[in-house]
Amino acid sequence: MEHWEQFIKTLIEGLGFTNYKVDIDAEHRHGAVFIYEDQELVKGNLPALVEAINHLVQLIAQKQNSQPIFFDINNYRRERETLIGELARAAARKVVATKEPISLPAMNSYERRIVHTELAANPEVRTESQGAGKERYVIIKPVA
């Protein structure tokens, strides 16, 4: 696990940041990076930064035949998970009320999985993914 921490530190410093913190939860295979400088720059590029770092970590893990760690930066993923969960629950309530299916916006596989998991225990709706590639999205349907 220490090699992941060093890799992330090298990457963050290579991006020009010097005021940051890296925490790794090895048991749950998650890491958190907090960048404390250039907040406007960081905030404006968080989605791309999170995706790029996780993509690199996954490629390295695959090459080394090891399990990747999933990194969050400045709580972007956690806040996004909360937002997607709220969106899924609100859409499910509307589906139940109107008995009409609702299509959510296109999402990556991680985000679609959040929707499916969030609504899996709801007996009044079912979810399915449709579309291809970056245009793949979730449809929430009423259970007849």
Short mmCIF file of all heavy atoms in Angstrom, two decimals, residues 1-12 20-33 52-71:
data_model
loop_
_atom_site.label_atom_id
_atom_site.label_comp_id
_atom_site.label_asym_id
_atom_site.label_seq_id
_atom_site.Cartn_x
_atom_site.Cartn_y
_atom_site.Cartn_z
N MET A 1 0.81 -1.19 0.00
CA MET A 1 0.00 0.00 0.00
C MET A 1 0.86 1.26 0.00
O MET A 1 0.43 2.28 -0.49
CB MET A 1 -0.91 0.02 1.23
CG MET A 1 -1.99 -1.01 1.22
SD MET A 1 -3.06 -0.81 -0.20
CE MET A 1 -3.53 -2.49 -0.43
N GLU A 2 2.03 1.15 0.56
CA GLU A 2 2.88 2.34 0.63
C GLU A 2 3.28 2.81 -0.76
O GLU A 2 3.43 4.01 -0.98
CB GLU A 2 4.11 2.06 1.47
CG GLU A 2 4.89 3.33 1.74
CD GLU A 2 5.83 3.18 2.90
OE1 GLU A 2 5.40 2.70 3.95
OE2 GLU A 2 6.98 3.56 2.74
N HIS A 3 3.39 1.88 -1.72
CA HIS A 3 3.75 2.32 -3.07
C HIS A 3 2.65 3.18 -3.68
O HIS A 3 2.93 4.08 -4.46
CB HIS A 3 4.11 1.14 -3.96
CG HIS A 3 2.95 0.32 -4.43
ND1 HIS A 3 2.31 -0.60 -3.63
CD2 HIS A 3 2.32 0.29 -5.62
CE1 HIS A 3 1.32 -1.16 -4.31
NE2 HIS A 3 1.30 -0.63 -5.53
N TRP A 4 1.38 2.94 -3.31
CA TRP A 4 0.30 3.79 -3.82
C TRP A 4 0.41 5.19 -3.26
O TRP A 4 0.22 6.17 -3.98
CB TRP A 4 -1.08 3.21 -3.48
CG TRP A 4 -1.44 2.00 -4.28
CD1 TRP A 4 -1.79 0.77 -3.80
CD2 TRP A 4 -1.49 1.87 -5.71
NE1 TRP A 4 -2.05 -0.09 -4.83
CE2 TRP A 4 -1.87 0.55 -6.02
CE3 TRP A 4 -1.23 2.75 -6.76
CZ2 TRP A 4 -2.01 0.10 -7.32
CZ3 TRP A 4 -1.37 2.30 -8.07
CH2 TRP A 4 -1.75 0.98 -8.34
N GLU A 5 0.70 5.29 -1.98
CA GLU A 5 0.83 6.60 -1.36
C GLU A 5 1.95 7.39 -2.03
O GLU A 5 1.78 8.57 -2.36
CB GLU A 5 1.06 6.48 0.15
CG GLU A 5 1.11 7.82 0.84
CD GLU A 5 1.17 7.71 2.36
OE1 GLU A 5 1.02 6.60 2.90
OE2 GLU A 5 1.38 8.75 3.00
N GLN A 6 3.09 6.74 -2.23
CA GLN A 6 4.22 7.43 -2.86
C GLN A 6 3.90 7.81 -4.30
O GLN A 6 4.24 8.90 -4.75
CB GLN A 6 5.48 6.56 -2.81
CG GLN A 6 6.71 7.29 -3.29
CD GLN A 6 6.94 8.60 -2.54
OE1 GLN A 6 6.94 8.65 -1.31
NE2 GLN A 6 7.11 9.69 -3.28
N PHE A 7 3.22 6.92 -5.02
CA PHE A 7 2.83 7.21 -6.40
C PHE A 7 1.93 8.45 -6.46
O PHE A 7 2.14 9.36 -7.27
CB PHE A 7 2.11 6.00 -7.03
CG PHE A 7 1.52 6.31 -8.38
CD1 PHE A 7 2.32 6.45 -9.49
CD2 PHE A 7 0.15 6.48 -8.51
CE1 PHE A 7 1.77 6.75 -10.74
CE2 PHE A 7 -0.42 6.79 -9.74
CZ PHE A 7 0.41 6.92 -10.86
N ILE A 8 0.91 8.50 -5.59
CA ILE A 8 -0.02 9.62 -5.58
C ILE A 8 0.70 10.91 -5.20
O ILE A 8 0.47 11.97 -5.80
CB ILE A 8 -1.21 9.34 -4.64
CG1 ILE A 8 -2.06 8.18 -5.18
CG2 ILE A 8 -2.06 10.59 -4.44
CD1 ILE A 8 -2.67 8.43 -6.56
N LYS A 9 1.59 10.84 -4.20
CA LYS A 9 2.34 12.03 -3.81
C LYS A 9 3.19 12.55 -4.98
O LYS A 9 3.22 13.75 -5.25
CB LYS A 9 3.23 11.73 -2.60
CG LYS A 9 2.46 11.63 -1.31
CD LYS A 9 3.39 11.33 -0.14
CE LYS A 9 2.61 11.31 1.17
NZ LYS A 9 3.49 11.05 2.32
N THR A 10 3.85 11.64 -5.67
CA THR A 10 4.67 12.03 -6.82
C THR A 10 3.81 12.66 -7.91
O THR A 10 4.18 13.67 -8.51
CB THR A 10 5.42 10.80 -7.37
OG1 THR A 10 6.24 10.26 -6.33
CG2 THR A 10 6.28 11.16 -8.57
N LEU A 11 2.65 12.08 -8.14
CA LEU A 11 1.73 12.59 -9.16
C LEU A 11 1.22 13.99 -8.79
O LEU A 11 1.24 14.90 -9.62
CB LEU A 11 0.56 11.61 -9.31
CG LEU A 11 -0.34 11.76 -10.52
CD1 LEU A 11 0.44 11.66 -11.81
CD2 LEU A 11 -1.41 10.67 -10.48
N ILE A 12 0.78 14.16 -7.55
CA ILE A 12 0.25 15.45 -7.10
C ILE A 12 1.35 16.52 -7.17
O ILE A 12 1.12 17.64 -7.63
CB ILE A 12 -0.33 15.35 -5.67
CG1 ILE A 12 -1.51 14.37 -5.63
CG2 ILE A 12 -0.72 16.71 -5.13
CD1 ILE A 12 -2.69 14.76 -6.46
N TYR A 20 -0.83 19.53 0.32
CA TYR A 20 -1.82 18.47 0.14
C TYR A 20 -1.65 17.42 1.23
O TYR A 20 -0.67 17.43 1.98
CB TYR A 20 -1.66 17.81 -1.24
CG TYR A 20 -0.35 17.09 -1.39
CD1 TYR A 20 -0.22 15.75 -1.03
CD2 TYR A 20 0.77 17.75 -1.86
CE1 TYR A 20 0.99 15.09 -1.14
CE2 TYR A 20 1.98 17.10 -1.97
CZ TYR A 20 2.09 15.78 -1.62
OH TYR A 20 3.30 15.13 -1.72
N LYS A 21 -2.61 16.52 1.29
CA LYS A 21 -2.57 15.42 2.26
C LYS A 21 -3.10 14.16 1.57
O LYS A 21 -4.07 14.23 0.80
CB LYS A 21 -3.45 15.77 3.46
CG LYS A 21 -3.54 14.70 4.52
CD LYS A 21 -4.47 15.19 5.64
CE LYS A 21 -4.76 14.08 6.61
NZ LYS A 21 -5.78 14.48 7.59
N VAL A 22 -2.49 13.02 1.83
CA VAL A 22 -2.93 11.73 1.27
C VAL A 22 -3.20 10.79 2.43
O VAL A 22 -2.33 10.58 3.28
CB VAL A 22 -1.87 11.12 0.32
CG1 VAL A 22 -2.30 9.75 -0.17
CG2 VAL A 22 -1.56 12.05 -0.83
N ASP A 23 -4.40 10.23 2.48
CA ASP A 23 -4.77 9.21 3.47
C ASP A 23 -5.21 7.97 2.72
O ASP A 23 -6.00 8.07 1.77
CB ASP A 23 -5.92 9.68 4.36
CG ASP A 23 -5.51 10.78 5.31
OD1 ASP A 23 -4.41 10.68 5.88
OD2 ASP A 23 -6.31 11.72 5.49
N ILE A 24 -4.75 6.81 3.17
CA ILE A 24 -5.14 5.55 2.53
C ILE A 24 -5.75 4.61 3.56
O ILE A 24 -5.18 4.40 4.62
CB ILE A 24 -3.94 4.88 1.83
CG1 ILE A 24 -3.47 5.77 0.68
CG2 ILE A 24 -4.31 3.49 1.34
CD1 ILE A 24 -2.32 5.23 -0.11
N ASP A 25 -6.92 4.08 3.22
CA ASP A 25 -7.59 3.08 4.02
C ASP A 25 -7.39 1.75 3.29
O ASP A 25 -8.16 1.39 2.40
CB ASP A 25 -9.08 3.41 4.15
CG ASP A 25 -9.87 2.38 4.93
OD1 ASP A 25 -9.31 1.31 5.30
OD2 ASP A 25 -11.06 2.62 5.17
N ALA A 26 -6.32 1.04 3.64
CA ALA A 26 -5.95 -0.18 2.93
C ALA A 26 -7.02 -1.25 3.04
O ALA A 26 -7.29 -1.98 2.08
CB ALA A 26 -4.62 -0.71 3.46
N GLU A 27 -7.65 -1.35 4.19
CA GLU A 27 -8.67 -2.38 4.42
C GLU A 27 -9.84 -2.24 3.43
O GLU A 27 -10.34 -3.22 2.90
CB GLU A 27 -9.20 -2.29 5.84
CG GLU A 27 -10.24 -3.35 6.16
CD GLU A 27 -10.78 -3.22 7.58
OE1 GLU A 27 -10.17 -2.51 8.41
OE2 GLU A 27 -11.82 -3.85 7.86
N HIS A 28 -10.27 -1.01 3.18
CA HIS A 28 -11.40 -0.78 2.29
C HIS A 28 -10.97 -0.37 0.88
O HIS A 28 -11.82 -0.05 0.05
CB HIS A 28 -12.33 0.30 2.89
CG HIS A 28 -12.94 -0.15 4.17
ND1 HIS A 28 -12.51 0.29 5.40
CD2 HIS A 28 -13.95 -1.03 4.41
CE1 HIS A 28 -13.23 -0.29 6.34
NE2 HIS A 28 -14.10 -1.09 5.78
N ARG A 29 -9.65 -0.33 0.64
CA ARG A 29 -9.09 -0.03 -0.68
C ARG A 29 -9.55 1.33 -1.21
O ARG A 29 -9.91 1.47 -2.36
CB ARG A 29 -9.40 -1.15 -1.67
CG ARG A 29 -9.05 -2.54 -1.13
CD ARG A 29 -8.73 -3.55 -2.18
NE ARG A 29 -7.62 -3.22 -3.03
CZ ARG A 29 -6.33 -3.28 -2.70
NH1 ARG A 29 -5.98 -3.66 -1.51
NH2 ARG A 29 -5.39 -2.98 -3.55
N HIS A 30 -9.55 2.31 -0.31
CA HIS A 30 -9.90 3.67 -0.68
C HIS A 30 -8.80 4.63 -0.22
O HIS A 30 -8.17 4.40 0.79
CB HIS A 30 -11.23 4.10 -0.03
CG HIS A 30 -12.41 3.50 -0.69
ND1 HIS A 30 -12.98 2.32 -0.29
CD2 HIS A 30 -13.13 3.91 -1.76
CE1 HIS A 30 -14.00 2.03 -1.07
NE2 HIS A 30 -14.11 2.97 -1.97
N GLY A 31 -8.64 5.67 -0.99
CA GLY A 31 -7.70 6.71 -0.62
C GLY A 31 -8.36 8.07 -0.73
O GLY A 31 -9.27 8.25 -1.54
N ALA A 32 -7.90 8.99 0.08
CA ALA A 32 -8.42 10.35 0.03
C ALA A 32 -7.26 11.30 -0.14
O ALA A 32 -6.25 11.20 0.55
CB ALA A 32 -9.18 10.66 1.32
N VAL A 33 -7.41 12.20 -1.09
CA VAL A 33 -6.41 13.24 -1.33
C VAL A 33 -7.10 14.58 -1.08
O VAL A 33 -8.21 14.81 -1.55
CB VAL A 33 -5.88 13.18 -2.78
CG1 VAL A 33 -4.90 14.31 -3.04
CG2 VAL A 33 -5.27 11.83 -3.10
N ALA A 52 -8.84 10.75 -13.99
CA ALA A 52 -7.50 10.49 -14.51
C ALA A 52 -6.64 9.73 -13.50
O ALA A 52 -5.97 8.75 -13.85
CB ALA A 52 -6.83 11.80 -14.91
N ILE A 53 -6.66 10.18 -12.25
CA ILE A 53 -5.85 9.50 -11.24
C ILE A 53 -6.32 8.07 -11.03
O ILE A 53 -5.51 7.14 -10.96
CB ILE A 53 -5.83 10.31 -9.92
CG1 ILE A 53 -4.94 11.54 -10.11
CG2 ILE A 53 -5.36 9.46 -8.74
CD1 ILE A 53 -4.86 12.47 -8.94
N ASN A 54 -7.62 7.86 -10.96
CA ASN A 54 -8.13 6.50 -10.78
C ASN A 54 -7.84 5.63 -11.99
O ASN A 54 -7.56 4.44 -11.85
CB ASN A 54 -9.61 6.52 -10.42
CG ASN A 54 -9.81 6.86 -8.96
OD1 ASN A 54 -9.45 6.08 -8.09
ND2 ASN A 54 -10.34 8.03 -8.68
N HIS A 55 -7.89 6.21 -13.17
CA HIS A 55 -7.56 5.44 -14.38
C HIS A 55 -6.10 4.99 -14.35
O HIS A 55 -5.81 3.82 -14.62
CB HIS A 55 -7.84 6.30 -15.62
CG HIS A 55 -7.60 5.58 -16.90
ND1 HIS A 55 -8.44 4.58 -17.36
CD2 HIS A 55 -6.61 5.69 -17.82
CE1 HIS A 55 -7.97 4.12 -18.51
NE2 HIS A 55 -6.87 4.78 -18.80
N LEU A 56 -5.20 5.89 -13.98
CA LEU A 56 -3.79 5.53 -13.89
C LEU A 56 -3.56 4.45 -12.83
O LEU A 56 -2.82 3.49 -13.06
CB LEU A 56 -2.95 6.76 -13.56
CG LEU A 56 -2.78 7.78 -14.69
CD1 LEU A 56 -2.09 9.03 -14.17
CD2 LEU A 56 -2.02 7.18 -15.86
N VAL A 57 -4.19 4.60 -11.67
CA VAL A 57 -4.04 3.61 -10.60
C VAL A 57 -4.55 2.24 -11.06
O VAL A 57 -3.91 1.22 -10.81
CB VAL A 57 -4.76 4.08 -9.31
CG1 VAL A 57 -4.86 2.96 -8.29
CG2 VAL A 57 -4.03 5.28 -8.71
N GLN A 58 -5.67 2.22 -11.76
CA GLN A 58 -6.21 0.95 -12.25
C GLN A 58 -5.28 0.31 -13.28
O GLN A 58 -5.08 -0.91 -13.28
CB GLN A 58 -7.61 1.14 -12.84
CG GLN A 58 -8.65 1.40 -11.77
CD GLN A 58 -10.03 1.67 -12.35
OE1 GLN A 58 -10.24 1.62 -13.54
NE2 GLN A 58 -10.98 1.98 -11.47
N LEU A 59 -4.70 1.11 -14.17
CA LEU A 59 -3.76 0.57 -15.16
C LEU A 59 -2.53 -0.02 -14.50
O LEU A 59 -2.07 -1.11 -14.87
CB LEU A 59 -3.35 1.66 -16.16
CG LEU A 59 -4.37 2.08 -17.19
CD1 LEU A 59 -3.86 3.27 -18.00
CD2 LEU A 59 -4.72 0.92 -18.11
N ILE A 60 -2.00 0.69 -13.52
CA ILE A 60 -0.82 0.19 -12.81
C ILE A 60 -1.15 -1.08 -12.05
O ILE A 60 -0.39 -2.05 -12.08
CB ILE A 60 -0.26 1.28 -11.86
CG1 ILE A 60 0.32 2.42 -12.69
CG2 ILE A 60 0.78 0.71 -10.91
CD1 ILE A 60 0.61 3.67 -11.90
N ALA A 61 -2.29 -1.10 -11.37
CA ALA A 61 -2.70 -2.30 -10.62
C ALA A 61 -2.86 -3.49 -11.57
O ALA A 61 -2.44 -4.60 -11.26
CB ALA A 61 -3.99 -2.04 -9.87
N GLN A 62 -3.46 -3.25 -12.72
CA GLN A 62 -3.65 -4.33 -13.70
C GLN A 62 -2.30 -4.86 -14.17
O GLN A 62 -2.09 -6.06 -14.26
CB GLN A 62 -4.45 -3.79 -14.87
CG GLN A 62 -4.86 -4.83 -15.88
CD GLN A 62 -5.74 -4.24 -16.98
OE1 GLN A 62 -5.68 -3.04 -17.25
NE2 GLN A 62 -6.55 -5.06 -17.58
N LYS A 63 -1.36 -3.96 -14.46
CA LYS A 63 -0.04 -4.38 -14.91
C LYS A 63 0.70 -5.17 -13.84
O LYS A 63 1.43 -6.10 -14.13
CB LYS A 63 0.77 -3.15 -15.33
CG LYS A 63 2.12 -3.47 -15.95
CD LYS A 63 2.73 -2.23 -16.53
CE LYS A 63 4.06 -2.37 -17.15
NZ LYS A 63 4.67 -3.61 -17.32
N GLN A 64 0.48 -4.80 -12.57
CA GLN A 64 1.15 -5.47 -11.45
C GLN A 64 0.35 -6.64 -10.89
O GLN A 64 0.74 -7.22 -9.88
CB GLN A 64 1.41 -4.45 -10.33
CG GLN A 64 2.35 -3.35 -10.71
CD GLN A 64 2.50 -2.31 -9.62
OE1 GLN A 64 1.74 -2.26 -8.66
NE2 GLN A 64 3.50 -1.46 -9.77
N ASN A 65 -0.78 -6.96 -11.52
CA ASN A 65 -1.67 -8.02 -11.02
C ASN A 65 -2.03 -7.82 -9.55
O ASN A 65 -1.96 -8.74 -8.74
CB ASN A 65 -1.05 -9.41 -11.22
CG ASN A 65 -0.99 -9.78 -12.68
OD1 ASN A 65 -1.89 -9.47 -13.45
ND2 ASN A 65 0.09 -10.44 -13.07
N SER A 66 -2.40 -6.58 -9.21
CA SER A 66 -2.80 -6.29 -7.84
C SER A 66 -4.14 -5.57 -7.85
O SER A 66 -4.64 -5.19 -8.91
CB SER A 66 -1.74 -5.43 -7.14
OG SER A 66 -1.65 -4.15 -7.74
N GLN A 67 -4.71 -5.41 -6.69
CA GLN A 67 -6.00 -4.73 -6.56
C GLN A 67 -5.77 -3.22 -6.52
O GLN A 67 -4.91 -2.75 -5.78
CB GLN A 67 -6.71 -5.18 -5.28
CG GLN A 67 -7.13 -6.62 -5.29
CD GLN A 67 -8.27 -6.85 -6.28
OE1 GLN A 67 -9.14 -6.01 -6.44
NE2 GLN A 67 -8.24 -7.98 -6.95
N PRO A 68 -6.55 -2.45 -7.27
CA PRO A 68 -6.39 -1.00 -7.21
C PRO A 68 -7.03 -0.41 -5.97
O PRO A 68 -7.87 -1.03 -5.33
CB PRO A 68 -7.12 -0.51 -8.47
CG PRO A 68 -8.18 -1.53 -8.69
CD PRO A 68 -7.57 -2.84 -8.25
N ILE A 69 -6.61 0.78 -5.64
CA ILE A 69 -7.25 1.58 -4.61
C ILE A 69 -8.01 2.66 -5.35
O ILE A 69 -7.55 3.17 -6.37
CB ILE A 69 -6.21 2.20 -3.67
CG1 ILE A 69 -5.60 1.12 -2.79
CG2 ILE A 69 -6.80 3.30 -2.82
CD1 ILE A 69 -4.57 1.62 -1.81
N PHE A 70 -9.18 3.02 -4.87
CA PHE A 70 -9.97 4.06 -5.51
C PHE A 70 -9.80 5.35 -4.72
O PHE A 70 -10.03 5.38 -3.51
CB PHE A 70 -11.43 3.64 -5.61
CG PHE A 70 -11.60 2.48 -6.53
CD1 PHE A 70 -11.60 1.18 -6.04
CD2 PHE A 70 -11.71 2.66 -7.90
CE1 PHE A 70 -11.71 0.10 -6.89
CE2 PHE A 70 -11.82 1.58 -8.76
CZ PHE A 70 -11.82 0.30 -8.26
N PHE A 71 -9.38 6.39 -5.41
CA PHE A 71 -9.06 7.65 -4.76
C PHE A 71 -10.15 8.69 -4.96
O PHE A 71 -10.74 8.80 -6.03
CB PHE A 71 -7.74 8.21 -5.29
CG PHE A 71 -6.54 7.50 -4.73
CD1 PHE A 71 -5.99 6.42 -5.38
CD2 PHE A 71 -5.99 7.91 -3.52
CE1 PHE A 71 -4.90 5.75 -4.85
CE2 PHE A 71 -4.91 7.23 -2.99
CZ PHE A 71 -4.36 6.15 -3.65
#
